[in-house]
Amino acid sequence: MTSTFHGLETARRAMAAQQAALLTTGHNIANANTPGYTRQRVNLQTSESYPSASLNRPQIPGQIGTGVQVGDVQRIRDSFVDMQLRGETSKLGYWEAKAEQLSQMESVMNEPSETGLASTIDQFWNSLQDLAAQPQNNGARRVVRQRGIAVADSFNYLSTSLQAVQKNYRNEINISEQDVNSILRQINQVNKQIGDVEPHGMLPNDLYDERDRLIDELSTMVNIKVESKSSGGHASPNAEGLLNVYLANPQGEVLMDGSNPPKPIKLIDSDTDRAIGFHIQYENREVLDSPVTTIKFFELDSESGFKGLTQSEADTSNTPEYQIADVTQFNTNGKLRGYMEGYGYKNSAGDVEGLFNKMLSDLDTMAYTFATKFNEVHQSGWSPIDIIAGTDTAQDFFSIPVGGVKGAAANIKIADKILEDVDNIAAAQKTVDNVAYVGNGTNALALADVKDAVLDYGGNKTNVQAFYQGMIGTLGDNASQANRMTQVAGVLKDSLDQQRMSVSSVSLDEEMTDMIKYQHAYNAAARNITLMDEMLDKIINGMGVGGR
């Protein structure tokens, strides 16, 4: 037969279970505004009925319930939405980084505007046409010189400004590398704490939340995926309705996805409790605009560096955990890749690529090709000084670097002779009898016609204006695409974030409803104990007193 105190024990279990539910509800309410917190739910289940099936069980009509007990405290998460959200977060980080860099490039180029390079070159052509009409006018010559200085200064400004912005993104890459490695250390530490708790049959839900928060943060930098691996606990996935709801999250292995070789690179190894971090290697670390050449992966220590290696030793080490020697194979999304594609890297052929390097190369090509042709035409004419002296000095108008195309935009300037005296500007052309006159402005017209000359600009047969328009058009198209993709990825991310919040976030209305529900159940269980106490009091104190 059942125990005399069976009813008390049933009510006691009920009070304990409802109290646990109230405590969890209070925990949810307290963390309603905590970033990364996932609402928790107590799963109540009936305790084992009495009696259990056995040969010596009491002969009673059937089993009697023994009350309720707490099965587990469950986090409400949708793993599929988590995976989708992290993927979109990586895409958003990549396109945000590109859009940010292209926006700065557009600000530097400042086209179309009255102060941009295109307008400055147009004013230079106009001054040459004015000189052709008035070749003896010293004021017209001074205007040509001044407009030429403005063209050279514009090339100088654009090149040096783009290089300055490019160097700033070297810092962004280094900061991103440090942030990624710091997050990986923290995830590994949280994994260790989870591994200490789970084997005892407990679910460290708050640690799971912290790990998920860190993984979400990491997904903005690189494209990652998480593989769960049991650490010895009893937890296992459980499905409710259409949602894949975690009863627990075993230790997570974090892998970087989307790079070659096809096998993802393991960043968190739960088997060995190690975190594997990034090391970005440059062609020359001492040069601020030196391109990225290699991405190495080393084991991280518990502080702020690589285990047993300084930065210089990591650069020269031939024994990394993993290595991506061809940066073009770093196909993962995220801000880190976006910054590297903007800053510059070496491809498998050894050529330097990148948004800033491409724009700087085009500017150098434009400045060098234009100035070389302009000097060629200028050398074919005669200046007033040459005409008076009867000499042919074949004077350059622009001074450009001797070393070739690279650096031409940053170093182009007006030739010293032109700066000294505007009468060195060769506006006249020789006549058939090899005689030139100061009043002859034919060569000034030829100089003005250089704007329409079809030249070879790095393999593009076009004129200087069309080449520059193509540069600005490409920049505008790239910026428009980056802004559009940023907006698309942002909308998708926000939609998925709302979807996850609808599942995992704390609803104060729902929690207040649960609080009232559990409070009433607790009160009813307490009333049950009072009733059982009255019954037992009757048995203990009221029975056996008849006839006295």
Side-chain angles (χ1 to χ4, degrees):
M1 66 180 286
T2 57
S3 166
T4 304
F5 299 99
H6 177 90
L8 282 175
E9 181 61 22
T10 299
R12 184 200 66 79
R13 284 199 184 105
M15 291 183 67
Q18 305 307 323
Q19 184 178 22
L22 279 168
L23 291 174
T24 302
T25 300
H27 186 53
N28 286 340
I29 294 172
N31 288 280
N33 296 315
T34 301
Y37 179 78
T38 303
R39 69 186 177 98
Q40 300 175 15
R41 180 176 68 196
V42 171
N43 291 321
L44 301 177
Q45 62 188 40
T46 56
S47 55
E48 185 177 355
S49 300
Y50 175 83
S52 58
S54 62
L55 290 175
N56 61 347
R57 68 183 183 276
Q59 296 302 313
I60 58 177
Q63 288 186 324
I64 299 175
T66 60
V68 65
Q69 64 183 11
V70 175
D72 49 50
V73 180
Q74 170 187 354
R75 287 197 320 154
I76 309 300
R77 296 278 295 204
D78 187 340
S79 58
F80 181 66
V81 172
D82 281 346
M83 179 185 68
Q84 286 184 305
L85 179 59
R86 287 164 186 161
E88 290 302 326
T89 300
S90 297
K91 293 177 185 177
L92 178 61
Y94 171 74
W95 287 111
E96 279 183 337
K98 292 200 73 171
E100 175 189 332
Q101 294 170 95
L102 289 165
S103 175
Q104 293 204 35
M105 289 177 67
E106 285 186 314
S107 297
V108 171
M109 300 306 292
N110 193 27
E111 295 288 358
S113 73
E114 294 182 359
T115 57
L117 179 59
S119 177
T120 303
I121 291 177
D122 283 341
Q123 292 175 11
F124 182 51
W125 301 139
N126 293 336
S127 68
L128 288 168
Q129 291 173 341
D130 291 342
L131 178 60
Q134 305 177 67
Q136 295 174 301
N137 189 327
N138 184 267
R141 291 178 177 276
R142 290 179 180 275
V143 171
V144 169
R145 180 177 64 180
Q146 202 59 38
R147 296 287 168 79
I149 292 173
V151 169
D153 287 346
S154 294
F155 275 115
N156 298 161
Y157 170 80
L158 293 178
S159 182
T160 54
S161 296
L162 287 173
Q163 289 181 62
V165 176
Q166 180 189 25
K167 291 172 183 177
N168 289 338
Y169 281 102
R170 166 74 168 269
N171 294 331
E172 291 291 343
I173 293 174
N174 293 336
I175 291 172
S176 297
E177 174 188 321
Q178 294 170 10
D179 288 345
V180 168
N181 291 341
S182 174
I183 293 170
L184 289 170
R185 288 188 189 90
Q186 294 176 65
I187 293 174
N188 193 47
Q189 187 61 37
V190 172
N191 252 5
K192 291 178 182 179
Q193 294 174 355
I194 291 173
D196 291 339
V197 175
E198 280 186 340
H200 300 286
M202 294 182 287
L203 304 181
N205 290 321
D206 293 333
L207 290 177
Y208 295 152
D209 284 345
E210 177 62 13
R211 184 176 63 190
D212 282 336
R213 185 190 67 79
L214 291 169
I215 290 173
D216 288 345
E217 188 176 348
L218 179 63
S219 67
T220 65
M221 300 294 182
V222 291
N223 190 24
I224 54 97
K225 69 176 184 177
V226 180
E227 291 183 354
S228 295
K229 184 173 183 179
S230 176
S231 57
H234 71 284
S236 60
N238 179 38
E240 286 194 2
L242 298 178
L243 299 181
N244 183 17
V245 182
Y246 297 65
L247 287 184
N249 257 16
Q251 283 193 333
E253 292 193 336
V254 179
L255 302 98
M256 188 186 75
D257 204 7
S259 61
N260 290 326
K263 183 179 180 181
I265 294 176
K266 188 179 290 188
L267 303 179
I268 298 293
D269 190 342
S270 61
D271 287 332
T272 57
D273 290 335
R274 296 189 309 155
I276 310 299
F278 285 74
H279 177 67
I280 308 298
Q281 186 170 326
Y282 303 91
E283 187 174 50
N284 185 345
R285 188 169 290 275
E286 303 303 319
V287 179
L288 286 180
D289 58 353
S290 180
V292 175
T293 58
T294 311
I295 304 172
K296 294 180 178 179
F297 298 83
F298 295 98
E299 181 180 355
L300 298 171
D301 59 25
S302 58
E303 299 299 328
S304 60
F306 301 109
K307 193 168 184 179
L309 293 173
T310 63
Q311 189 177 72
S312 59
E313 289 172 339
D315 276 339
T316 58
S317 173
N318 294 319
T319 57
E321 297 285 337
Y322 313 99
Q323 178 170 309
I324 301 176
D326 183 357
V327 182
T328 57
Q329 295 182 350
F330 187 68
N331 295 324
T332 179
N333 284 315
K335 284 188 175 181
L336 190 57
R337 177 190 168 198
Y339 287 143
M340 284 195 293
E341 285 188 358
Y343 169 75
Y345 60 92
K346 272 199 169 182
N347 60 22
S348 56
D351 299 323
V352 178
E353 297 183 3
L355 296 175
F356 284 96
N357 287 319
K358 173 63 176 170
M359 182 60 74
L360 287 167
S361 175
D362 285 346
L363 272 177
D364 286 341
T365 299
M366 178 182 172
Y368 183 83
T369 306
F370 151 73
T372 300
K373 180 63 176 179
F374 196 89
N375 284 345
E376 178 185 327
V377 176
H378 191 265
Q379 290 170 8
S380 69
W382 277 22
S383 67
I385 292 178
D386 287 336
I387 293 171
I388 294 171
T391 58
D392 186 359
T393 57
Q395 173 68 40
D396 284 343
F397 187 89
F398 289 105
S399 173
I400 52 179
V402 178
V405 177
K406 186 174 177 58
N411 296 289
I412 187 174
K413 60 181 182 178
I414 301 300
D416 291 339
K417 288 290 185 180
I418 305 297
L419 291 175
E420 290 173 5
D421 193 339
V422 293
D423 282 341
N424 281 306
I425 298 176
Q429 273 188 345
K430 298 175 183 178
T431 61
V432 291
D433 55 354
N434 206 30
V435 177
Y437 303 94
V438 174
N440 183 341
T442 310
N443 200 53
L445 281 177
L447 289 171
D449 288 340
V450 172
K451 70 174 181 177
D452 298 320
V454 176
L455 306 173
D456 185 356
Y457 289 90
N460 296 316
K461 299 287 187 178
T462 184
N463 60 54
V464 63
Q465 289 178 311
F467 180 74
Y468 185 63
Q469 288 170 0
M471 289 171 54
I472 299 303
T474 301
L475 173 60
D477 287 342
N478 291 338
S480 177
Q481 181 194 24
N483 290 329
R484 182 176 64 255
M485 293 304 297
T486 298
Q487 185 176 8
V488 170
V491 169
L492 290 174
K493 176 185 175 294
D494 290 343
S495 176
L496 288 167
D497 193 39
Q498 288 295 325
Q499 189 174 342
R500 180 165 76 172
M501 293 289 285
S502 69
V503 174
S504 301
S505 66
V506 175
S507 168
L508 291 178
D509 291 339
E510 183 179 344
E511 298 303 326
M512 293 300 294
T513 301
D514 286 344
M515 182 186 297
I516 295 171
K517 178 176 67 176
Y518 296 135
Q519 179 189 14
H520 282 221
Y522 185 91
N523 292 340
R527 182 69 185 89
N528 194 23
I529 287 181
T530 301
L531 179 62
M532 294 304 300
D533 178 63
E534 292 175 358
M535 293 170 61
L536 291 174
D537 178 67
K538 189 65 176 177
I539 292 172
I540 295 170
N541 298 316
M543 293 180 66
V545 297
R548 288 188 181 181

